[in-house]
Amino acid sequence: MHRLLTTTRHRCLILVRHYKPPKPSKPPAPPSPPKPPKKLQSYTFHDHTWEDPYSWMSSLNDKVAMRHMDVYMEQEEKYTEAVLSDTERLQSKLQSEMASRLAFDLSTPPLRWGPWLYYRRVEEGKQYPVLCRRLASLNEEFISHKSPAAGFDFTSGKKIEQKLLDYNHEAERFGGYAYEELSEVSPDHRFLAYTMYDKDNDYFKLSVRNLNSGSLCSKPQAVRVSNIAWAKDGQTLFYVVTDDNKRPYRIYCSIIGSTDEDVLLLEEPDENVFVNIRHTKDFHFVTVNTFSTTSSKVFLINAADPFAGMTLVWECEGLAHCIVEHHQRYIYLFTDAAKDGQVVDHHYLLRTPVDAPSSPRIWEVGG
């Protein structure tokens, strides 16, 4: 027995002597941060010259550069996820902790327009807000939508809150992403015109929704829309589209509910001229601004007769900021255009009667 034990112990010593513990596994190599491409560009100001290899990132009109930018941003997102991969549990814990301290009845202050109060609110568990309105006469004080009395008025038998647009549903239309650039309710509160960003095509798409039924109108459904304006009748919508270089250059007029094609009112062929529209606060006129570095012009479109043409009411040399309003048969112009050939560093107000002769139109200091 003693010999057996000795032999066994000897073998164990040999095994222990030749035992090599496994080498610790090497930690995975840290991810490499992405490197955006460099394109050297020299700049000189005040006799000082320097190079900026990343200035191409600001070339918003360069489609090739923006495609490179999209690729680079995706690489940055993946790099961030890789670096923070070991903190996923902590991120989830922090997110839950912060969410538990946030109120889920978040809402913007109501904006009163006509008989309605318009506001946006966030529903619990939703990523995007909902555009709503309620009659001010039924709810003079803004009440949380969670209050039982906020949704229905038992005296009049009318529903107080009306959901107009759920941006969570819009996100489903646009591949899980909802970004609104413009939204305008018609003067009669029947329609909502709005533009949503289509990421796949890199443009804004125009839609018009019937606020009574909640359904989308069959027209217009234009793309590359940069500007919209309603006429007073609530059925005539003007909109501006951009060219392939994102320059606003065409104005269209659409009649909601009509089966006719939208009418092209203006096309600016000069690649250096940009077009912009807006309606006056009384919706009687739509103002058309065409501007470049060499000249600025303002035209009026009679919203009651949009196909009657445009009337030139203001013109000046150089790039100028011009806002036109209408009040009691007078046109008011708020501008920073040069005065008597001298550049000014402030805005001033001019006015002229609507029916004044247009050639030349006499402007006087606004009162």
Side-chain angles (χ1 to χ4, degrees):
M1 177 68 68
H2 177 72
R3 183 176 182 182
L4 178 62
L5 290 176
T6 303
T7 304
T8 303
R9 189 181 302 114
H10 180 68
R11 288 177 180 175
C12 290
L13 290 173
I14 294 175
L15 291 174
V16 171
R17 189 176 300 154
H18 290 84
Y19 173 76
K20 294 182 179 180
K23 294 182 179 179
S25 58
K26 293 183 179 179
S32 300
K35 295 181 180 180
K38 295 182 179 182
K39 299 179 182 179
L40 295 182
Q41 179 71 36
S42 297
Y43 295 93
T44 301
F45 286 100
H46 305 296
D47 299 327
H48 179 69
T49 301
W50 71 94
E51 291 184 346
D52 183 359
Y54 303 112
S55 62
W56 61 269
M57 292 183 174
S58 61
S59 304
L60 300 181
N61 294 327
D62 188 339
K63 287 189 174 182
V64 175
M66 289 301 99
R67 280 198 294 269
H68 289 167
M69 190 65 178
D70 288 340
V71 172
Y72 171 64
M73 292 304 295
E74 290 179 3
Q75 293 174 349
E76 282 285 1
E77 291 177 2
K78 292 179 180 179
Y79 170 72
T80 302
E81 292 175 358
V83 170
L84 299 178
S85 61
D86 59 342
T87 65
E88 289 182 357
R89 293 184 62 184
L90 177 59
Q91 291 179 50
S92 179
K93 180 181 179 180
L94 292 175
Q95 185 177 5
S96 299
E97 183 178 337
M98 288 186 287
S100 65
R101 287 169 166 77
L102 293 175
F104 282 100
D105 57 347
L106 298 176
S107 174
T108 62
L111 174 64
R112 181 161 186 168
W113 182 30
W116 295 95
L117 295 171
Y118 289 88
Y119 55 95
R120 285 180 169 88
R121 62 177 179 82
V122 179
E123 297 181 326
E124 186 172 353
K126 299 294 183 64
Q127 182 177 2
Y128 296 102
V130 180
L131 176 64
C132 305
R133 71 180 177 187
R134 60 183 70 196
L135 283 170
S137 60
L138 297 179
N139 188 26
E140 289 296 336
E141 292 186 5
F142 183 70
I143 309 173
S144 167
H145 68 278
K146 287 192 173 182
S147 171
F152 194 82
D153 180 70
F154 293 95
T155 303
S156 65
K158 294 182 178 180
K159 185 178 181 181
I160 293 180
E161 182 178 83
Q162 180 184 2
K163 289 185 180 181
L164 304 180
L165 185 61
D166 189 335
Y167 292 97
N168 297 284
H169 295 163
E170 292 300 307
E172 295 177 3
R173 289 179 62 205
F174 292 93
Y177 180 71
Y179 174 61
E180 179 188 72
E181 174 74 3
L182 306 168
S183 63
E184 291 282 350
V185 176
S186 62
D188 58 3
H189 304 273
R190 289 189 299 163
F191 300 101
L192 171 69
Y194 60 101
T195 60
M196 301 295 296
Y197 182 62
D198 188 332
K199 185 178 180 181
D200 292 336
N201 296 298
D202 191 26
Y203 57 52
F204 285 92
K205 182 178 181 180
L206 172 64
S207 300
V208 177
R209 191 173 292 274
N210 186 317
L211 297 183
N212 294 325
S213 65
S215 60
L216 282 171
C217 298
S218 58
K219 62 183 288 288
Q221 292 192 21
V223 297
R224 300 204 311 264
V225 174
S226 64
N227 211 202
I228 55 179
W230 284 102
K232 192 172 185 178
D233 63 1
Q235 280 192 293
T236 305
L237 178 67
F238 302 86
Y239 61 92
V240 178
V241 300
T242 63
D243 61 14
D244 293 337
N245 294 320
K246 299 184 178 182
R247 176 182 67 93
Y249 78 120
R250 283 180 178 173
I251 302 176
Y252 286 91
C253 179
S254 179
I255 307 299
I256 309 301
S258 170
T259 57
D260 297 336
E261 292 291 328
D262 296 348
V263 178
L264 177 63
L265 300 181
L266 173 69
E267 180 173 3
E268 180 53 63
D270 190 337
E271 295 182 354
N272 297 312
V273 177
F274 295 75
V275 176
N276 183 59
I277 61 172
R278 65 181 296 272
H279 59 73
T280 56
K281 291 184 178 180
D282 58 8
F283 292 95
H284 281 292
F285 295 98
V286 172
T287 65
V288 178
N289 292 60
T290 63
F291 54 92
S292 67
T293 56
T294 57
S295 67
S296 300
K297 297 179 182 179
V298 181
F299 301 84
L300 283 187
I301 296 177
N302 184 351
D305 189 8
F307 306 117
M310 302 187 305
T311 302
L312 178 65
V313 295
W314 172 261
E315 183 176 9
C316 69
E317 294 183 356
L319 181 62
H321 180 223
C322 302
I323 298 179
V324 170
E325 276 298 340
H326 170 253
H327 182 64
Q328 296 183 350
R329 304 304 300 168
Y330 272 92
I331 300 172
Y332 290 84
L333 175 68
F334 187 63
T335 183
D336 61 352
K339 298 175 68 173
D340 301 324
Q342 299 295 321
V343 177
V344 298
D345 59 356
H346 61 276
H347 286 71
Y348 54 93
L349 188 65
L350 301 174
R351 75 171 187 174
T352 183
V354 172
D355 301 327
S358 58
S359 55
R361 181 177 288 270
I362 305 300
W363 292 83
E364 61 182 11
V365 177

